[in-house]
Amino acid sequence: MTSRFGPGWLREFARTQWGCTIWELIVLVGVSGYFLLFCLMPYFGGDQLGLVGADEPRYAQIAREMLAAHSEDCHEVHARITPHSLRPTDIHASYVCLMGGTVTPILYGKPWLEKPALYYWRAMGFFKEFGVSDWSARLPSASGAAALIFLAFLHLRRFRPGGHLDAALIMVSTVAIFSFARGASTDMQLAAPFCIGMLGWYGWYETGKKFWLFDLYFFGAAATLAKGPVAPFLMLGILVLFCGLRREWSALRRTIWLPGILLYLAMVLPWYIAVQRRNPSFFRQFFIEHNLERFATNRYQHHQPVYYYLVVLILGLMPWTALAIRALVDAVQVSIAEWKVRHNPQRYLGHTRAGDAFPEFLVLWALFPVLFFSFAESKLPGYILPSIPPLAILTGDYLFRTRRAGLPSWLLSLHAGLTGLLTFVLLLCPQYMVYQRIVPAAKTFVWTAALGVLAAWLIIFVVQRYGVRHVRTVTLIPLAGLLFFLLKLNGRVLDLNYSARPLAREIQQAAPEIPVVAVQDVRRDLDYGLAFYRNQNVVHYDTDGIPDEEHVLVIPTREADQIPSLVQGRVYQQLFLYETQGLSVYKIYPHS
């Protein structure tokens, strides 16, 4: 007699409830878990790389300060978010606890109203569960990407079986998804629910079941809480184009579903109203400055040429760029053919996807954000992150449909070549990022080039010998090796050169008794990084002045000779050189 909860039960549950095999689930969870979590957290390869850039430590610090304010407010009323009982006093105390520290994002004790609060709320939850750290600050993005990958897999298995596993694993292994899934930022908080909501809408379009339409409103609300009005605008733009091109305006009308609208408003409005009431400048700062002006002007110094997102798309899809572009072209051709059929009473012959609206939907979904943001004056790579998943889905479906015929030789060679090139470039990354060697040593160049050629040859050999169904596996092998090489073998070196974490630790060891840290002419990322790792705002000589008390000064080594004039006769002492980032650290004594 077999156990009710044995392997047989698990296989049957996966097949009947999720429509997939247990082996597919094992591969999905194993590969996705590796790409999303390896060397991200202490329990899985170690948190090798600290927070980098200006956004990661800044957003993490906001979440930390909001959690501290929330904990303090809850402590004052002796309550938790869930009330102790149904008595009015306990319910009111829980309401005070819920609202405490969760409405206004704060940075260094002051309101920070650039972004909505979804990332901060999720980071607060992970901080409370695992403690405040750089890796727990990245879990909101990693978990959001995991939800996207898993739900996209299940959706495709339900509606487009065959290429579902390919699409999910291609999605998680693109440079764009992999990078933003490991960042403490708001980009994945928008992209993941946005894409899940779009898939849900198409599920409703194909089946007519309101269950799928629920996804559009629920995850659309989550995306609005992540980045603001850009989420519903992009959703509406894509749906209007799709329904308009298909002349199915009734589908757009039926999308307006009263329970969904109420759900969306119930999720979105409470926070927007509450933050506006507490911060009268919120509407101007968030909607006018950080949405309209960010799009229409170069106020935030992010100007890029109009073709910028074409370059971002090519790099973000690596190493699947060649296959993704070919799949996109194929889908465009299918869409055009479908459009001609709809405008011609005679049914055309010879096409395998007649009557299928999914390629057209994915094409519009992929292209609309790219075209829209190409006209923006301020451009950042994360803006078009929602365009990557539909391209991954098209690629997985294309590979499935070409299994019998095989890939054209030129396409297979191009895909193998791009994978080999990516292998070659990433193997050289530590040489350039650490030692600034654009042209590496001959020995290094030879062995990295050889591994790049080996990766390309392996793909061509396996696919030609065993078929297209193995292109996913044979491409993931070098990518998995590159991840191990960059973050496990060289993670600490990159940490020393690009994160403020090692510097903060050295300052704490050299001067544990000095609470104040000041900076002069350091990079913004180092500025915010020191503030996060020391949990305090750093003092800036040029804007805040020179503190009267004893403090630590971080200054570029090339400017160290300016210290006597800066401190105006005060005694100072060099603590150490931080050569990996060209910095000198000094102890500045107080006034006599």
Side-chain angles (χ1 to χ4, degrees):
M1 183 176 179
T2 59
S3 172
R4 180 182 178 185
F5 298 104
W9 172 86
L10 187 59
R11 285 194 299 269
E12 183 64 18
F13 180 84
R15 186 183 65 81
T16 57
Q17 300 298 320
W18 292 336
C20 59
T21 66
I22 191 64
W23 174 246
E24 287 178 336
L25 283 179
I26 292 173
V27 172
L28 177 69
V29 172
V31 175
S32 298
Y34 177 77
F35 277 97
L36 293 176
L37 299 177
F38 182 68
C39 285
L40 178 75
M41 51 199 308
Y43 320 110
F44 192 16
D47 55 334
Q48 301 291 333
L49 182 62
L51 299 177
V52 296
D55 287 343
E56 281 200 294
R58 181 172 62 216
Y59 292 149
Q61 182 63 21
I62 292 171
R64 167 193 265 161
E65 293 189 32
M66 290 178 70
L67 177 61
H70 172 69
S71 300
E72 182 178 347
D73 289 347
C74 291
H75 180 73
E76 285 183 2
V77 295
H78 304 288
R80 297 176 298 178
I81 293 178
T82 54
H84 297 294
S85 70
L86 296 180
R87 291 181 301 178
T89 54
D90 287 341
I91 294 175
H92 176 72
S94 293
Y95 174 78
V96 173
C97 173
L98 172 65
M99 299 299 288
T102 61
V103 175
T104 302
I106 48 178
L107 180 64
Y108 313 136
K110 298 179 180 179
W112 183 271
L113 305 175
E114 287 190 5
K115 297 290 188 296
L118 181 64
Y119 168 79
Y120 310 130
W121 292 337
R122 300 194 67 224
M124 288 167 64
F126 284 113
F127 284 168
K128 192 172 182 64
E129 184 69 25
F130 301 108
V132 177
S133 66
D134 37 31
W135 64 268
S136 56
R138 287 169 168 157
L139 286 181
S141 294
S143 59
L148 169 61
I149 301 303
F150 187 71
L151 292 178
F153 168 82
L154 293 181
H155 180 96
L156 294 173
R157 185 65 183 84
R158 165 70 172 79
F159 292 102
R160 293 297 183 277
H164 52 287
L165 186 57
D166 279 357
L169 297 185
I170 288 171
M171 198 182 300
V172 77
S173 59
T174 59
V175 166
I177 297 296
F178 168 81
S179 301
F180 284 101
R182 289 171 167 264
S185 70
T186 59
D187 295 293
M188 188 57 72
Q189 314 307 310
L190 166 68
F194 178 92
C195 295
I196 296 170
M198 294 302 291
L199 287 173
W201 183 88
Y202 191 83
W204 165 81
Y205 173 81
E206 192 162 292
T207 65
K209 296 181 179 179
K210 295 295 186 182
F211 167 81
W212 297 105
L213 196 57
F214 166 85
D215 284 359
L216 175 72
Y217 287 97
F218 178 84
F219 290 105
T224 306
L225 289 170
K227 280 264 190 165
V230 68
F233 174 81
L234 290 177
M235 284 181 164
L236 183 61
I238 295 167
L239 298 184
V240 168
L241 280 175
F242 177 74
C243 294
L245 288 174
R246 299 188 68 83
R247 296 185 178 180
E248 297 183 31
W249 296 110
S250 63
L252 193 63
R253 176 180 53 80
R254 288 182 288 115
T255 300
I256 303 173
W257 183 42
L258 182 59
I261 294 174
L262 294 177
L263 173 65
Y264 178 88
L265 295 178
M267 290 178 63
V268 169
L269 286 185
W271 179 80
Y272 278 92
I273 293 173
V275 73
Q276 175 64 34
R277 292 183 62 183
R278 296 192 183 188
N279 306 273
S281 64
F282 171 74
F283 181 85
R284 174 182 57 80
Q285 289 188 45
F286 178 68
F287 288 101
I288 304 300
E289 295 179 6
H290 288 283
N291 280 273
L292 296 180
E293 290 186 10
R294 184 181 288 271
F295 182 87
T297 71
N298 190 33
R299 174 173 180 171
Y300 298 98
Q301 306 298 312
H302 297 308
H303 177 74
Q304 298 291 346
V306 69
Y307 57 83
Y308 173 73
Y309 284 121
L310 292 178
V311 178
V312 172
L313 203 61
I314 290 172
L315 296 178
L317 288 167
M318 289 286 284
W320 306 97
T321 306
L323 294 174
I325 292 176
R326 180 63 188 92
L328 177 63
V329 171
D330 179 76
V332 170
Q333 292 172 341
V334 170
S335 302
I336 293 174
E338 294 293 336
W339 185 84
K340 290 179 178 179
V341 168
R342 293 195 300 270
H343 291 76
N344 187 340
Q346 284 189 333
R347 177 186 176 88
Y348 75 103
L349 300 176
H351 208 285
T352 59
R353 302 302 296 271
D356 188 1
F358 199 40
E360 186 175 350
F361 179 71
L362 293 174
V363 167
L364 293 174
W365 171 4
L367 295 183
F368 185 76
V370 176
L371 294 175
F372 174 74
F373 285 114
S374 292
F375 290 100
E377 287 296 320
S378 295
K379 297 182 179 71
L380 289 173
Y383 291 177
I384 65 163
L385 190 61
S387 293
I388 302 298
L391 291 171
I393 293 171
L394 286 172
T395 308
D397 183 63
Y398 175 78
L399 289 176
F400 174 70
R401 290 185 289 108
T402 57
R403 284 187 177 183
R404 288 189 177 182
L407 293 175
S409 298
W410 66 268
L411 182 58
L412 175 59
S413 299
L414 184 56
H415 171 67
L418 288 179
T419 306
L421 178 63
L422 182 67
T423 302
F424 171 70
V425 170
L426 293 184
L427 288 175
L428 286 178
C429 267
Q431 293 289 314
Y432 173 73
M433 297 173 73
V434 176
Y435 305 111
Q436 304 298 313
R437 291 180 178 176
I438 298 179
V439 179
K443 182 178 179 180
T444 302
F445 185 89
V446 169
W447 73 261
T448 53
L451 289 176
V453 171
L454 178 62
W457 174 85
L458 182 65
I459 291 174
I460 294 174
F461 173 79
V462 171
V463 174
Q464 287 183 342
R465 182 77 176 268
Y466 300 103
V468 175
R469 69 181 184 276
H470 294 288
V471 69
R472 173 195 70 212
T473 304
V474 78
T475 303
L476 290 175
I477 290 173
L479 296 182
L482 288 171
L483 173 59
F484 186 88
F485 171 79
L486 285 175
L487 293 184
K488 185 63 177 179
L489 300 184
N490 290 280
R492 294 301 181 189
V493 178
L494 298 177
D495 192 36
L496 285 170
N497 283 268
Y498 290 93
S499 173
R501 181 171 67 178
L503 175 61
R505 289 173 177 170
E506 287 202 36
I507 291 175
Q508 181 62 27
Q509 292 173 359
E513 76 286 354
I514 303 178
V516 180
V517 172
V519 297
Q520 171 70 10
D521 290 341
V522 302
R523 304 186 314 271
R524 290 175 67 244
D525 58 329
L526 191 72
D527 186 348
Y528 285 116
L530 282 174
F532 173 75
Y533 286 109
R534 291 186 63 85
N535 192 22
Q536 65 182 89
N537 190 11
V538 299
V539 178
H540 302 85
Y541 268 20
D542 52 354
T543 58
D544 303 324
I546 302 174
D548 291 331
E549 65 268 39
E550 185 179 48
H551 61 275
V552 172
L553 171 64
V554 181
I555 188 171
T557 302
R558 64 179 183 277
E559 299 180 16
D561 57 352
Q562 300 178 14
I563 293 180
S565 61
L566 288 172
V567 301
Q568 300 175 354
R570 291 169 62 173
V571 178
Y572 62 91
Q573 172 192 356
Q574 186 179 63
L575 295 177
F576 60 88
L577 289 173
Y578 194 70
E579 295 180 306
T580 55
Q581 298 193 37
L583 301 170
S584 295
V585 181
Y586 289 84
K587 176 181 180 181
I588 310 298
Y589 288 84
H591 282 294
S592 302

